[in-house]
Amino acid sequence: MSDVCIIGAGIHPFGRTDGMSGLQQGVFAARQAMGDAGVDWPEIEIAFGGSSAAGNADTMVSELGLTGVPFINVANGCATGGSALYGAYAAIKAGQADLALAVGFDKHPRGSFDPKPADWGLPDWVGEVGLMLTTQFFALKLRRYMEQHGISVQTLGRVAEKAFENGALAPHSWRKTPVDLDTILNSQMVNDPLTKFMFCSPAEGGVALVLASEKKARALGAVPVKLKTATMRTRPPGSFEVFSPSLDIERGPSPTVIASKAAFEAAGVGPGDIDVAQLQDTESGAEIMHMAENGFCADGDQEQWIAEGRTKIGGSLPVNTDGGCLACGEPIGASGLRQVYENVIQLRGTAGARQVAGARTAYSHVYGAPGVSAITILQR
Amino acid sequence: MAKIAENLFTAGPQPQLIGGRDRETGRVVFPMPADADRFEAIALPNEGTIWSWSVQRFRPKSPPYAGPEAFEPFGIAYVQLGDQVIVETRLSGFAFDALKVGLPCRLVLEDLGGRQSFAFAPMEAS
């Protein structure tokens, strides 16, 4: 089986782009990724793409060209981008194709997401009584975790502070102004203990990656970044997921825990080998919990890690070096691919002011409803 | 008053939520699933303890939210009901600054936008 390489990366800046559809932002990213790889659309042998709220990815063939390419639409909640990448990775790994495109994009209206209970297999009353909000889930999972593992509100604030610091250094980010800790802690409470600045917002953006077999990458003379693994898992019994009217007394691991273990095993590396990590930070507590769920530290150690600045750029494990979802916003279909884009830039050594010195191995983790996790491990 | 949903809770002075017990594994879930072959309906304990909590500070979008137009923040929680199951619920009658994990609470029925719904309230409330 061939090794899989990422040879092209493109992004449409995240945030709000009036007058441009989500699909067009996806096309923008796809063209940039192909230009970066030095390939043309007719050479792409298979494509995977998706959005949550901005239409069918395969319709972009009318803009990119009617080459007859197989184009598979992916709809996998917040893991849509990660799943598109997984599809492209698997096609190359299996020898089905030598050159593949993964693309994700989105464009959400302002305000919180308003999911329909029936789409998630739930009765209408769950939404009618006001329990159908993703923000509540994050707050409830976090409150329990803080109680059990001694995480302070101050630490939640520091994660957001770091996100905006890093976002200010990333050309593709949405929030480019640092926000001080006091402002974060004292901003409007949304779902206790999480304030406005501790939550990411629905946004817009597009990301595309060109993947190639090792042979093809060599033939093209690309400077490849190896995609050591792309792993995706759904929830195991006893996990705590969004939109759960009830939970089992007997608690189990999260889908992140099992996806992470499988990814490290497949890549043949461990958490200690990772130089830079992009972890799902829908809110600042999620980044904290995901540090432990992905095996980077023990539950509760985050309090000390973050006080010591270990997850800042220049720390021992920089996390969310482009400001993550907190600074980039969350266009659902594009979000997981943004993390991989950022890792590609870091491993190429072209991240400028946010560059992690000497980064060789990079990790990305996306998590979403109703309990899916997708991990990638990249190496140069 | 109409109920927010049928077969969600029993009425009376000591109301109870209706869950489902998997006939094979004994696993308890809430609400009672549609599959009555696999699950048997059971009345869940009327009292429990707060397992985790938060406060809903902004009005959820309508639809689906069917609460009153004039919005007051409300507490939300997962409540552990004995050794059976942990249920997600609105809270009623708790001061937000007094909320903490482990507080005892009990099921009450209350009006929500003109229909009868459920919440968990402090033990001392009558």
Side-chain angles (χ1 to χ4, degrees), chain A:
Chain A
M1 284 192 292
S2 169
D3 269 344
V4 181
C5 302
I6 297 177
I7 61 165
I11 194 163
H12 185 280
F14 280 31
R16 296 269 172 221
T17 309
D18 291 338
M20 197 167 179
S21 72
L23 190 80
Q24 286 170 326
Q25 295 179 46
V27 169
F28 178 98
R31 287 195 171 121
Q32 198 182 76
M34 289 186 286
D36 183 43
V39 301
D40 292 317
W41 174 242
E43 296 170 67
I44 299 290
E45 296 162 46
I46 190 164
F48 293 82
S51 81
S52 164
N56 297 317
D58 64 336
T59 57
M60 70 172 63
V61 297
S62 41
E63 298 219 29
L64 292 173
L66 303 178
T67 61
V69 66
F71 198 130
I72 293 160
N73 287 343
V74 179
N76 223 171
C78 303
T80 293
S83 298
L85 185 67
Y86 177 80
Y89 168 82
I92 291 175
K93 194 90 186 159
Q96 286 276 337
D98 282 311
L99 205 52
L101 180 81
V103 58
F105 55 88
D106 243 313
K107 189 178 182 91
H108 303 288
R110 283 159 218 276
S112 60
F113 294 118
D114 54 342
K116 310 279 174 290
D119 291 346
W120 302 91
L122 294 174
D124 289 342
W125 66 262
V126 177
E128 291 169 357
V129 303
L131 293 177
M132 199 69 199
L133 286 128
T134 53
T135 56
Q136 297 173 343
F137 158 73
F138 291 111
L140 289 163
K141 183 180 174 193
L142 175 59
R143 170 64 68 187
R144 178 79 186 172
Y145 191 86
M146 289 169 77
E147 288 276 334
Q148 287 195 304
H149 301 294
I151 302 297
S152 66
V153 168
Q154 190 89 357
T155 296
L156 303 183
R158 287 217 175 92
V159 168
E161 187 185 33
K162 167 180 70 70
F164 298 123
E165 263 170 36
N166 293 354
L169 305 175
H172 63 261
S173 76
W174 183 12
R175 315 283 189 197
K176 297 209 189 293
T177 317
V179 183
D180 66 81
L181 187 59
D182 277 348
T183 306
I184 292 164
L185 293 175
N186 295 317
S187 66
Q188 187 193 345
M189 190 64 82
V190 176
N191 280 114
D192 310 42
L194 294 163
T195 66
K196 186 178 85 172
F197 282 112
M198 296 177 190
F199 270 110
C200 81
S201 302
E204 305 172 19
V207 184
L209 299 168
V210 176
L211 279 67
S213 62
E214 198 173 25
K215 190 181 78 186
K216 184 77 177 177
R218 222 180 299 122
L220 287 165
V223 183
V225 167
K226 275 190 186 166
L227 180 53
K228 299 291 285 182
T229 187
T231 304
M232 191 250 179
R233 289 289 185 276
T234 54
R235 65 189 190 276
S239 70
F240 184 178
E241 304 304 337
V242 69
F243 307 142
S244 298
S246 69
L247 303 175
D248 293 332
I249 300 274
E250 192 179 329
R251 309 303 310 138
S254 71
T256 295
V257 170
I258 59 171
S260 175
K261 280 202 177 111
F264 280 125
E265 205 175 298
V269 299
D273 298 315
I274 302 300
D275 301 312
V276 54
Q278 318 298 331
L279 306 179
Q280 178 78 28
D281 61 332
T282 321
E283 39 79 26
S284 49
E287 177 173 317
I288 291 167
M289 294 184 283
H290 290 150
M291 285 167 63
E293 288 182 30
N294 285 291
F296 293 111
C297 67
D299 288 320
D301 284 0
Q302 300 97 326
E303 190 71 9
Q304 193 188 343
W305 273 54
I306 288 161
E308 293 174 1
R310 290 199 217 173
T311 56
K312 291 186 169 195
I313 294 167
S316 57
L317 180 69
V319 173
N320 293 332
T321 44
D322 65 352
C325 293
L326 290 175
C328 294
E330 191 180 28
I332 288 179
S335 205
L337 289 178
R338 172 190 52 75
Q339 300 174 321
V340 181
Y341 172 89
E342 172 66 6
N343 279 341
V344 169
I345 302 303
Q346 288 286 348
L347 294 186
R348 285 177 176 175
T350 57
R354 66 184 196 286
Q355 180 65 46
V356 174
R360 273 202 71 238
T361 309
Y363 185 97
S364 75
H365 156 258
V366 62
Y367 165 84
V372 290
S373 239
I375 313 279
T376 69
I377 296 175
L378 272 54
Q379 208 160 49
R380 77 167 154 82

Side-chain angles (χ1 to χ4, degrees), chain B residues 44-56:
Chain B
L44 298 172
N46 162 270
E47 295 176 2
T49 54
I50 291 181
W51 188 85
S52 188
W53 62 273
S54 181
V55 178
Q56 182 57 37

